[in-house]
Amino acid sequence: MTIRALHVASELYPLLKTGGLADVAGALPPALIERGADVRALLPGFPAVLAGLTDLHPVAQLGRRFDTPGVTVERGTLPSNGLVVYVIRAESLYNRPGNPYLNDEHVPYGDNAQRFALLGWVAAQLAQQLDPAWSAQIVHAHDWHAGLAPAYLKAAERQHGRPVARSVFTVHNLAYQGVFPAHQFGQLGLPDDFFNISGIEFYGQLSFLKAGLFYSDRITTVSPTYAREIQTLSQGGGLDGLLRHRSHDLSGILNGVDYAVWNPTDDALLDTHYSATRLAGKSACKEALQKRFGLAQKSDALLFGVVSRLTEQKGLDLLLGGVPEIIRHGGQLVVFGTGDPALENGLKRVAQSHPESVAVELGFDETLAHTIVAGSDVIAVPSRFEPCGLTQLYALAYGSLPLVHCVGGLADTVADASLENLADDLATGFVFERFEPKGLAAAIRRAFALYDRRTEWKATQRRAMRQDFGWGASAERYLALYRELI
Ligand code: ADP
Ligand code: GLC
């Protein structure tokens, strides 16, 4: 039997992306389809989403919903792979260019509760014949933006007296909880008793993330280690109790890499290509990167790269403290990202003090991200916490050894270049245990020490590049979960 699953998310690569969620929403549906499932996606009709789809045509006119007139649901196609995508057209809620969550002042939009409640509500309707031609058996909701979908499904189940569709809720980041004032509950159209500690209520407010965790039939998160971490008091963001209570329904399924997009042998965004057996092209990528960022053109300077959202999570404040260690050993650092203005300014200041060896650029650009991942010797991901992390997986594929904090998905995917791991042919990068300057500095020194032994460095690069983090195994696990549910 073919399983019909609807993936509900707020971003999807290549239509719209602010982080790894888009990469997953873009790559997992095709991986499931390849394995025989009938998968479609639902997105809010942000300008970039509507512009990127072809064959858009109306499926349902919903009229006034969540205080918004003229809401329609349309169905279109993603040209790159033919994925069928439903979009919600609601001019006053979604027709805003730029960041889908924040205004120009980096403040969440005041009407985010309505904007994302509508997303969850339409998802539940797509399991109830909203499109007469297709109806979801599984609604797979991603992060708080889609967190109300399982709640609306449970409400419909109560109304009809039978299950409507089964739901899976995937936590990509427990730190974003979609919390809104309690008085907004009335606008959601959910049964009154859903505003409850056993429900959507969260310390006197309401949380879309908690709704997803509470009302979904299964919960997944994006790495096995993060699945354990979020059940602890220190890393559970106030939801550890609920997560422990539901631990039998909770599993960690590692994200994958879309090697059609991230592959140094034929990366469409690179001028020079290379592979594990022909590494020469990587030197050309490094040279190009040093040139692009105005760094000294030294082929043997160990080059550290960072491509990241600039938020507290990513631990770049710790990395800044490690800059003297990098410079002392003759290394270089390139940072590219966007986010928190205070972090942006701090990074800029460090670059100004070391123009030959540190370069910082602010912005979001897919080509530059690939340029840095390919041209760096080391990709640093010193995150305080990291649900999965994709950057270190891309770094492995490009032979750019990841330097990571031992948390979440970083702990599950990178093996430290310790003597014993090197001896056993296991090392793929540099891992520090404690989020402290000393641990980071030691990992940086390990990177320089290995770089001094060029043969071992190359062997480690090749091993990193041979790791298989393709979507296959993870897609199989999601499918197994769907099968269990229906
Ligand atoms: P997160 O989702 O927490 O941001 P991930 O490592 O899972 O972390 O995914 C980050 C994704 O966003 C990667 O695809 C990375 O290349 C991309 N990315 C981050 N910052 C930028 C940027 N400034 N420009 C382009 N891509 C970026
Ligand atoms: C989140 C997490 C990141 C994860 C991504 C995709 O943004 O911060 O660790 O890789 O989602 O699941």
Side-chain angles (χ1 to χ4, degrees), residues 88-246:
I88 309 166
R89 205 187 272 271
E91 291 293 316
S92 61
L93 293 182
Y94 302 138
N95 191 7
R96 299 170 198 173
N99 188 291
Y101 320 113
L102 313 172
N103 67 18
D104 290 343
E105 272 84 54
H106 289 267
V107 177
Y109 287 114
D111 55 356
N112 272 353
Q114 288 100 298
R115 297 171 84 222
F116 293 106
L118 180 61
L119 179 66
W121 185 80
V122 171
Q125 301 310 307
L126 281 166
Q128 300 170 79
Q129 258 78 49
L130 184 78
D131 179 356
W134 191 90
S135 189
Q137 297 165 293
I138 299 280
V139 173
H140 190 150
H142 297 272
D143 268 357
W144 75 263
H145 322 102
L148 287 196
Y152 286 119
L153 285 171
K154 284 288 176 246
E157 178 176 327
R158 183 190 285 182
Q159 194 184 346
H160 301 307
R162 57 171 171 80
V164 171
R166 312 309 302 275
S167 61
V168 176
F169 182 65
T170 296
V171 181
H172 294 265
N173 198 329
L174 200 76
Y176 299 93
Q177 305 191 328
V179 173
F180 302 98
H183 70 80
Q184 297 202 337
F185 180 76
Q187 304 164 4
L188 303 181
L190 286 167
D192 286 347
D193 62 298
F194 278 36
F195 189 77
N196 194 285
I197 187 162
S198 294
I200 185 179
E201 189 267 349
F202 186 56
Y203 295 100
Q205 298 187 284
L206 51 97
S207 159
F208 282 28
L209 182 77
K210 190 182 168 204
L213 296 176
F214 187 86
Y215 291 106
S216 59
D217 295 305
R218 289 285 189 285
I219 304 166
T220 72
T221 187
V222 288
S223 71
T225 295
Y226 193 62
R228 287 192 298 276
E229 288 169 349
I230 58 178
Q231 295 182 60
T232 64
L233 182 64
S234 61
Q235 290 169 85
L239 292 160
D240 49 293
L242 172 56
L243 287 161
R244 279 195 304 277
H245 182 71
R246 296 211 59 192

Side-chain angles (χ1 to χ4, degrees), residues 404-418:
V404 305
H405 179 207
C406 191
V407 280
L410 301 173
D412 292 338
T413 55
V414 182
D416 183 57
S418 61

